[in-house]
């Protein structure tokens, strides 16, 4: 039984980790070493003479190559990463701001049909992007928002609102009402009690919500590809566009770029570890 | 409550509700309108065609094949991920040295971008130079053509999905397991219940509500499967086409917006049905949570 337990843990760990380790290793290779029929898994600092060995020369070439413009792409990896950063950060700020206000309203006030509204908000998350994208595309064409940062910022803000409202409602519900009531007695207005008493108490919740909004905007592909194929292209859409590249896939650069792209996410995952369950289940499960 | 709270509360929740309606309800209604026309991506002058788009969808074998394939995908993905995730959770229940690191590593895949990781998996699964086949042939297990073999592609995409989403099931299963009080296990030990009996009559039923939620979450997500298929085989592959990629293919590659909209409407009926089940489930769970 104990043996079986360790077997499961080991296999699971390897299954999760090996693809990522291989990604890191591949990002340090020359292009030829990534498509060599002999697997290269022993790093070496000097050039390798025999093509059949398992040794490869470590090189930073792929990372330098991220600045190169590829056939069929409009900009280098770094510019696409910058698009992802701008769109991710701005939409996250907007989602958390709107979501916190909305969650506070539902948490503290009697709102007609509150339960139905909350479930309406949750159900928007179930919508497949492809099912609403055509009307949005037509609207964006009219408003000249197609292929702009603003267009995706707006869309991701709305897309993440369900997450932000549900997560923040969970966090706000946990803050005792007595805090605000004391502030109201002290002569604060409702609004300033919210700003000066509740918000500081909710800052952990807001940070956690922000991380989950950021990750979901950062990883989004469906809207990014259909709406922003010509401008303000984010990294997932850019990477997908590399497929079928006539120069052959630049695997070391794909690995390097993917690694640069996922490292912040891994760091954020570690940061919000204790709230992970809440985040991925929209606050429907609390620990 | 004070009278002025009335305007305050609507100014708090109003902007969010308006945005959600503008970006969800309005497009939905517009989609329904478009589904009765022959609108195209380029060019103006769409005509009303009545129910022709719907008639075509329900008689077209390609649509039906995509529907069946997506159902199979949801079934297999959710089933395997549940099984693997629950096994991992059972194995990880007890504390051991380094558990933190192991757990965090196991959770990483589900936080990553499916589009980017899907592209990277092309490299791992490549028939000639992919590391998986190099390892398999070193073990003498042959070299399956993961992404080009017609009968295998679908299962390869499933494999990547399992890699990404097993952690999700594991995370929720772990929460369910850790919520079971130790006293119950101790009582079972006193009663000399066998290991299997404990699992069958204590562990499983007590985890079931959370696992149900996890299954619903994954099912609605897998139903939308798009990114991985796009990243591995593209939207127009006869053996991997899912609902979403077929929708993409007919709307954006073939420009048939009217037909695509009709299809989107039928998909939505399915999604909304699942979403209703889901929200009911959440509501019921909350009530029982509050009761305890």
């Amino acid at each position: 039984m104990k043996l079986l337990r360790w077997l499961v843990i080991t296999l699971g760990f390897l299954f999760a980790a090996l693809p990522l380790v291989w990604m890191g290793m591949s990002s340090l290779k020359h292009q030829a070493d990534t498509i060599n029929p002999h697997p290269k898994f022993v790093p070496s600092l000097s050039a390798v003479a025999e093509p059949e060995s398992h040794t490869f020369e470590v090189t930073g070439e792929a990372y330098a190559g991220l600045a190169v413009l590829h056939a069929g792409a409009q900009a280098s990896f770094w510019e696409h990463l910058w698009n992802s950063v701008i769109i991710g950060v701005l939409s996250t700020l907007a989602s958390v701001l709107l979501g916190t206000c909305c969650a506070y309203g539902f948490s503290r006030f009697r709102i007609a049909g509150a339960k139905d509204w909350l479930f309406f908000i949750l159900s928007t998350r179930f919508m497949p992007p492809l099912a609403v994208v055509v009307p949005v595309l037509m609207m964006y064409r009219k408003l000249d928002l197609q292929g702009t940062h603003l267009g995706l910022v707006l869309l991701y803000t709305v897309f993440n609102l369900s997450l932000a409202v549900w997560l923040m409602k969970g966090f706000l519900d946990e803050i005792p009402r007595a805090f605000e009531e004391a502030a109201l007695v002290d002569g604060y207005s409702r609004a300033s009690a919210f700003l000066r008493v509740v918000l500081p108490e909710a800052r952990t919740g807001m940070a956690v919500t922000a991380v989950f909004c950021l990750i979901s905007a950062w990883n989004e592909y469906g809207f990014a590809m259909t709406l922003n194929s010509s401008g303000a292209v984010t990294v997932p859409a850019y990477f997908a566009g590399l497929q079928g590249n006539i120069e052959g896939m630049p695997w070391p650069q794909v690995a390097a770029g993917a690694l640069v792209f996922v490292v912040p996410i891994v760091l954020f995952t570690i940061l919000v570890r204790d709230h992970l369950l809440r985040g991925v289940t929209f606050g429907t499960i609390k620990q | 409550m004070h009278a002025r709270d009335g305007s305050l509360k609507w100014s708090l929740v109003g902007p969010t509700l308006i945005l959600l309606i503008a970006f969800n309800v309005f497009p939905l209604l517009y989609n329904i309108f478009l589904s009765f026309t022959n609108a195209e991506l380029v060019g103006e002058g769409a005509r009303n065609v009545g129910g022709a788009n719907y008639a075509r969808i329900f008689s077209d074998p390609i649509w039906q094949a995509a529907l069946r394939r997506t159902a199979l995908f949801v079934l297999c993905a959710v089933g395997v991920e549940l099984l693997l995730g629950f096994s991992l959770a059972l194995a990880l229940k007890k504390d051991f040295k380094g558990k933190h690191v192991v757990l965090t590593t196991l959770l990483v895949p589900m936080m990553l971008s499916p589009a980017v990781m899907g592209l990277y998996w092309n490299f791992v699964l490549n028939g000639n130079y992919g590391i998986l086949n190099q390892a398999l042939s070193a073990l003498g297990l042959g070299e399956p053509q993961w992404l080009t073999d017609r009968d295998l592609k679908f299962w390869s995409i499933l494999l990547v999905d399992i890699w990404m989403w097993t952690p999700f099931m594991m995370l929720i299963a772990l929460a369910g397991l850790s919520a079971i009080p130790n006293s119950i296990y101790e009582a079972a030990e006193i009663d000399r219940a066998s290991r299997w009996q404990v699992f069958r009559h204590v562990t499983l039923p007590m985890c079931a509500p959370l696992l149900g939620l996890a299954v619903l979450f994954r099912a609605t997500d897998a139903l939308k499967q798009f990114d991985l298929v796009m990243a591995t085989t593209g939207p127009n592959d006869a053996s991997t086409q899912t609902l979403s990629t077929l929708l993409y293919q007919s709307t954006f590659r073939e420009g048939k917006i009217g037909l695509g909209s009709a299809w989107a409407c039928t998909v939505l009926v399915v999604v909304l049905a699942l979403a209703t089940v889901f929200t009911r489930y959440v509501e019921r769970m909350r009530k029982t949570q509050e009761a305890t």
Side-chain angles (χ1 to χ4, degrees), chain B residues 53 80 179 234:
Chain B
N53 289 326
V80 175

Side-chain angles (χ1 to χ4, degrees), chain B residues 173-196:
Chain B
L174 265 175
L177 288 176
S178 63
I180 303 175
N182 252 332
S183 55
I184 297 189
Y185 285 116
E186 283 156 14
E189 209 167 308
I190 293 167
D191 290 344
R192 307 212 173 168
S194 74
R195 214 171 263 217
W196 167 248

Side-chain angles (χ1 to χ4, degrees), chain A residues 1 5 12 15 19 22-23 26 36-37 39 98 110 115 119 125-126 131 134-135 219 243 251 265 269 273 277, chain B residues 9 16 23 27 31 91 104 106 111-113 120 122-123 129 134 163 175 195 224 231 251 271 275 278-279 283:
Chain A
M1 213 53 194
R5 188 170 151 243
F15 183 45
W22 189 245
M23 187 160 95
S26 303
N36 195 301
L98 286 167
R110 205 179 281 277
K115 215 160 73 184
F119 281 114
R125 189 64 172 212
F126 293 114
V134 167
N219 290 345
Q243 240 197 342
W251 289 119
I265 300 302
T269 305
R273 237 196 63 105
L277 185 69
Chain B
K9 70 184 179 190
T16 295
F23 278 82
N31 242 347
T104 309
L106 281 169
M111 309 302 282
L112 306 181
S113 157
Y120 167 72
N122 280 307
F123 175 54
Y129 54 76
Q134 289 175 345
W163 178 76
R195 214 171 263 217
K224 295 189 277 188
T251 309
V271 173
F278 182 89
T279 48
E283 206 171 351

Side-chain angles (χ1 to χ4, degrees), chain A residues 235-248:
Chain A
V235 173
Y238 162 70
F239 264 153
L242 282 180
Q243 240 197 342
N245 194 328
I246 30 167
E247 300 161 352

Side-chain angles (χ1 to χ4, degrees), chain A residues 120-228:
Chain A
F120 160 70
I121 291 171
L122 183 62
S123 72
T124 60
R125 189 64 172 212
F126 293 114
M127 204 86 78
L130 262 292
V132 288
V133 80
V134 167
V136 172
L137 182 70
M138 290 177 154
M139 185 163 81
Y140 272 27
R141 275 185 183 167
K142 284 251 159 62
L143 300 172
D144 251 336
L145 283 172
Q146 205 190 348
T148 63
H149 291 100
L150 182 64
L152 270 196
V153 169
L154 198 61
L155 199 65
Y156 286 170
T157 301
V158 179
F159 180 69
N160 277 330
L161 272 176
S162 56
L163 179 70
V165 171
W166 272 71
L167 276 179
M168 281 316 297
K169 174 142 191 318
F171 284 113
L172 289 171
D173 282 345
E174 283 164 13
I175 299 173
R177 278 161 184 261
F179 286 7
E180 298 141 86
E181 275 153 18
L184 289 178
V185 170
D186 286 349
Y188 280 86
S189 69
R190 259 272 166 201
S192 63
F194 172 54
L195 290 175
R196 297 212 204 138
V197 180
V198 179
L199 283 192
E201 285 296 316
R203 57 175 189 268
T204 313
M206 287 170 82
V208 170
T209 306
V211 167
F212 282 99
C213 288
L214 185 67
I215 289 178
S216 120
W218 189 254
N219 290 345
E220 208 282 332
Y221 171 64
F223 285 128
M225 176 205 46
T226 41
L227 293 176
N228 279 17

Side-chain angles (χ1 to χ4, degrees), chain A residues 1 5-6 8-9 12-13 15-17 19-20 22-23 26 34-40 98-99 101-102 104-106 108-112 115 117 119-141 154-155 157-158 161-162 165-166 169 177 189-191 194 212 215 219 221-222 225-226 235-236 239-240 242-243 249 251 254-255 258 261-262 265-266 269-270 273 276-277 280-287, chain B residues 1-2 4-5 8-10 12-13 15-17 19-28 30-31 34 39-41 87-88 90-92 94-96 100-117 119-124 128-129 131 134 159 162-163 166 168 171-172 174-175 178 195 210 213 217 220 224 226-227 230-234 244 247-248 251-252 257 261 264 267-268 271-272 275 278-280 282-283 285-287 289:
Chain A
M1 213 53 194
R5 188 170 151 243
W6 282 106
V8 170
I9 295 176
F13 183 77
F15 183 45
L20 297 171
W22 189 245
M23 187 160 95
S26 303
T34 56
I35 52 173
N36 195 301
H38 301 275
K40 306 274 188 186
L98 286 167
C101 289
C102 182
Y104 184 69
F106 280 115
R108 297 295 202 263
F109 295 91
R110 205 179 281 277
I111 290 174
K115 215 160 73 184
W117 281 119
F119 281 114
F120 160 70
I121 291 171
L122 183 62
S123 72
T124 60
R125 189 64 172 212
F126 293 114
M127 204 86 78
L130 262 292
V132 288
V133 80
V134 167
V136 172
L137 182 70
M138 290 177 154
M139 185 163 81
Y140 272 27
R141 275 185 183 167
L154 198 61
L155 199 65
T157 301
V158 179
L161 272 176
S162 56
V165 171
W166 272 71
K169 174 142 191 318
R177 278 161 184 261
S189 69
R190 259 272 166 201
F194 172 54
F212 282 99
I215 289 178
N219 290 345
Y221 171 64
M225 176 205 46
T226 41
V235 173
F239 264 153
L242 282 180
Q243 240 197 342
M249 279 302 273
W251 289 119
V254 168
F261 188 67
V262 303
I265 300 302
V266 174
T269 305
I270 296 169
R273 237 196 63 105
L276 214 52
L277 185 69
V280 295
T281 60
F282 286 65
T284 49
I285 303 177
K286 289 177 203 160
Q287 243 173 342
Chain B
M1 286 283 157
H2 308 282
R4 61 200 156 92
D5 281 353
L8 178 62
K9 70 184 179 190
W10 287 109
L12 283 169
V13 300
T16 295
L17 295 181
L19 275 173
L20 283 172
I21 290 169
F23 278 82
N24 286 288
V25 178
F26 161 73
L28 261 179
Y30 196 64
N31 242 347
L34 283 174
E40 304 231 334
L41 200 57
S87 311
L88 271 168
L90 284 171
L92 286 163
K94 269 194 221 142
D95 279 328
F96 56 89
H100 248 57
V101 178
V102 171
L103 207 56
T104 309
T105 311
L106 281 169
L107 289 170
V108 163
M110 73 167 171
M111 309 302 282
L112 306 181
S113 157
V116 173
M117 293 320 289
L119 180 73
Y120 167 72
W121 270 91
N122 280 307
F123 175 54
V124 175
N128 305 315
Y129 54 76
I131 183 65
Q134 289 175 345
L159 176 77
I162 290 167
W163 178 76
T166 297
F168 179 81
L171 183 66
I172 296 183
L174 265 175
S178 63
R195 214 171 263 217
L210 281 195
L213 190 73
F217 255 115
T220 47
K224 295 189 277 188
F226 179 69
D227 300 15
M230 290 295 284
T232 47
T233 62
S244 288
L247 191 58
Y248 175 77
T251 309
F252 289 93
I257 287 184
S261 298
V267 173
L268 264 174
V271 173
L272 285 180
F278 182 89
T279 48
R280 289 268 159 81
V282 171
E283 206 171 351
M285 248 184 58
R286 294 214 138 180
K287 273 193 191 131
Q289 253 180 4

Side-chain angles (χ1 to χ4, degrees), chain A residues 58-105:
Chain A
V58 172
T59 166
E61 175 179 278
Y63 290 91
L66 290 178
V68 171
L69 203 66
H70 282 286
Q74 294 135 351
S76 74
F77 171 81
W78 296 116
E79 281 173 68
H80 292 292
L81 189 68
W82 181 236
N83 289 335
S84 279
V85 171
I86 295 183
I87 292 170
V89 169
L90 290 182
S91 71
T92 298
L93 288 176
S95 289
V96 173
L97 187 76
L98 286 167
T100 305
C101 289
C102 182
Y104 184 69

